[in-house]
Amino acid sequence: MKLPWQKSSSSSSTGSVKGLNDSRLRFEVIINNIEDGVVLIDDQGTIQSFNPGAANISGWPVDDATGINYSQVMQLVNDKGEVIPNEVSPFTEIFRSGQVIHDDNAILQTKDKKQVPVSLSINPLLNDSGQVTAAIAVFRNVTTQRAEEKQRADFISTASHEMRTPVAAIEGYLALALNDKVSTIDSRARDYLEKAHSSTQHLGQLFQDLLTSAKAEDGRLTSHPAVIELGGLLEQSTNDLRFVAEKKGLFVEFAVGSSNNTINARRTEGGERVVRPLYYTYADPDRIREVISNLFENAVKYTDEGKITIGLTGDNQVVQCSVKDTGPGIPAEDLPHLFQKFYRVDNSATRTIGGTGLGLFICRKIIELYNGRVWAESEVGKGSSFYINLPRLSTEKANQMIASSSGAKDV
Ligand code: ADP
């Protein structure tokens, strides 16, 4: 496929040569004058086009970069400054998956080995049979935005850290005042103090969530990824969380398998384990538990009756966990915003229930750490379903990784 801004030896054979030339010229003017870097990579990994914006950001002169393999020029590094290996680079991934890739937190290593934060998007060019024939990468230098975001996050994180201590002290003293063995108070004072105690607990939770979300935003969230088997992890989490739901009269179910062919993975009455597939992924088990428990606690919080189902399924590429409830549901217009910071649905079904609006934002940040995706589907009055997709490791690959790095954790 030839694009207007690729070098072309001959002009078009169609009648409107002038029109084509004009549009090519216009295109070249745009591509050569925008600040964003634009790079065209063919299916051999060779850079076919490299605009001046790309040269400016990467430090690679246009003529040096054009015609060589992208891996020499478009080197991405992780937040520890280590070069991301070719096998897992998004420039390789795009030819495998054919799916558009966006990464707002990418870091490009320049020719002089400096690191430039970039917002990167890579689009595949597909032929008629759906094969990726080329990829176009567009990237923007976001150094200033990142510095400002960091300043904001630093402020929030310091402020919430400092405020947690006095709030914890107030909460402690209120608990003492409410303790019959320590204090004597009349029933009206008890009522006031109970309200104050619950608001202080809410404030403490808000500071905790603020601190976690600030860390998630500037990449300071601690993560110790390992090979984990999600079936075992989910089953254990379900058992740990079951009590809170059952206390509220909600039934809890754990289901493994496709939605049409649900297999109960719990022990049978005879005590044997039902055989189920193994769903391996590479992530920090504590962080994944945090996400599951957040989704589960929301399901309990917003559901008055019925059941909560924790599900697990997948295909060769993806493991999918779900948390479904029979609660009030979420209006369609709110669904795309649920995972934004401080977003709370403004309706009587959920607004009156306490919360910070940060839980789902933190869930998204955690899942994105492991190249996964989290989203919700719902219809008002018909309950809500939250889904998490994580890249699946084959059992063979998981065993290899466990053997070679002793990277597995007992979950
Ligand atoms: P919150 O602390 O408010 O629960 P979250 O970020 O966890 O914050 O959730 C954001 C909003 O999404 C909630 O305020 C609620 O309106 C809605 N929500 C989340 N989970 C559910 C659910 N299971 N059922 C209905 N609404 C939900």
Side-chain angles (χ1 to χ4, degrees):
M1 176 174 303
K2 196 146 286 252
L3 292 178
W5 41 288
Q6 278 186 270
K7 287 195 181 91
S8 174
S9 48
S10 64
S11 47
S12 162
S13 58
T14 65
S16 59
V17 175
K18 185 170 182 299
L20 182 72
N21 278 342
D22 282 349
S23 71
R24 174 170 296 153
L25 197 66
R26 277 202 296 275
F27 214 88
E28 270 177 17
V29 168
I30 295 172
I31 292 295
N32 287 337
N33 287 286
I34 54 172
E35 274 186 31
D36 291 3
V38 182
V39 180
L40 174 72
I41 301 165
D42 69 16
D43 57 356
Q44 301 303 307
T46 306
I47 295 181
Q48 291 295 340
S49 269
F50 199 76
N51 77 336
N56 217 358
I57 300 172
S58 68
W60 279 85
V62 173
D63 289 342
D64 289 4
T66 313
I68 62 173
N69 193 275
Y70 74 82
S71 57
Q72 287 173 263
V73 178
M74 300 300 293
Q75 271 189 350
L76 297 176
V77 295
N78 62 20
D79 51 13
K80 295 189 194 96
E82 300 153 347
V83 173
I84 296 175
N86 262 350
E87 309 85 70
V88 286
S89 149
F91 297 102
T92 309
E93 179 60 24
I94 191 99
F95 286 98
R96 236 188 336 245
S97 71
Q99 305 279 326
V100 179
I101 297 177
H102 290 290
D103 185 355
D104 284 335
N105 295 305
I107 304 169
L108 182 74
Q109 181 159 278
T110 66
K111 192 165 190 251
D112 299 340
K113 308 279 177 237
K114 290 200 187 101
Q115 292 174 8
V116 180
V118 292
S119 158
L120 170 71
S121 106
I122 315 177
N123 284 262
L125 294 183
L126 307 173
N127 63 13
D128 291 343
S129 44
Q131 281 162 331
V132 186
T133 54
I136 299 186
V138 180
F139 53 101
R140 168 172 297 188
N141 185 339
V142 290
T143 307
T144 318
Q145 288 96 310
R146 294 267 175 90
E148 284 168 6
E149 279 163 17
K150 184 164 181 333
Q151 263 181 0
R152 261 201 311 271
D154 280 352
F155 171 74
I156 292 176
S157 130
T158 314
S160 38
H161 187 79
E162 291 302 319
M163 286 190 272
R164 259 186 338 166
T165 315
V167 168
I170 299 169
E171 196 189 324
Y173 282 117
L174 287 171
L176 282 178
L178 284 164
N179 186 336
D180 289 337
K181 294 190 187 106
V182 186
S183 318
T184 313
I185 45 172
D186 67 19
S187 65
R188 202 191 297 180
R190 172 169 296 279
D191 189 33
Y192 296 150
L193 287 178
E194 271 168 0
K195 287 191 173 113
H197 190 231
S198 123
S199 293
T200 319
Q201 275 180 327
H202 182 203
L203 198 60
Q205 185 61 48
L206 180 63
F207 288 143
Q208 181 58 50
D209 283 357
L210 271 174
L211 198 58
T212 315
S213 61
K215 281 185 182 169
E217 273 183 297
D218 62 14
R220 280 183 301 122
L221 215 53
T222 49
S223 169
H224 304 286
V227 174
I228 49 175
E229 202 282 302
L230 280 167
L233 184 144
L234 280 194
E235 191 175 4
Q236 195 193 63
S237 298
T238 311
N239 288 334
D240 294 347
L241 295 163
R242 177 181 296 279
F243 175 71
V244 211
E246 288 175 349
K247 214 169 107 188
K248 206 178 162 187
L250 299 166
F251 183 68
V252 178
E253 191 178 71
F254 174 54
V256 179
S258 74
S259 48
N260 303 330
N261 178 27
T262 301
I263 309 164
N264 196 323
R266 300 220 296 272
R267 282 173 198 282
T268 61
E269 275 172 24
E272 303 149 41
R273 250 186 105 80
V274 175
V275 179
R276 60 165 177 78
L278 294 171
Y279 291 105
Y280 286 105
T281 194
Y282 188 70
D284 183 333
D286 291 334
R287 291 282 171 216
I288 299 297
R289 271 193 213 102
E290 200 176 326
V291 172
I292 298 295
S293 90
N294 210 319
L295 297 181
F296 190 91
E297 277 159 15
N298 273 355
V300 174
K301 190 161 77 169
Y302 296 111
T303 305
D304 284 335
E305 56 185 25
K307 75 172 176 188
I308 296 169
T309 310
I310 296 197
L312 179 63
T313 182
D315 59 21
N316 287 342
Q317 255 95 53
V318 172
V319 192
Q320 184 173 88
C321 314
S322 57
V323 179
K324 302 183 180 183
D325 64 53
T326 52
I330 300 161
E333 66 267 26
D334 292 301
L335 286 174
H337 308 290
L338 284 188
F339 295 86
Q340 292 165 2
K341 242 187 303 179
F342 296 117
Y343 196 86
R344 305 205 68 217
V345 178
D346 198 6
N347 66 12
S348 55
T350 61
R351 183 77 221 182
T352 45
I353 300 168
T356 62
L358 284 166
L360 292 179
F361 171 75
I362 294 171
C363 288
R364 172 165 70 83
K365 285 290 178 186
I366 293 176
I367 294 302
E368 284 174 355
L369 269 185
Y370 308 114
N371 302 317
R373 191 163 82 84
V374 55
W375 75 101
E377 290 174 11
S378 177
E379 223 179 294
V380 173
K382 294 196 177 160
S384 310
S385 302
F386 286 80
Y387 295 93
I388 299 165
N389 276 8
L390 285 165
R392 182 173 183 180
L393 294 175
S394 66
T395 305
E396 196 190 354
K397 177 86 185 154
N399 286 335
Q400 264 173 20
M401 287 172 74
I402 293 168
S404 68
S405 68
S406 64
K409 276 194 182 171
D410 226 355
V411 294

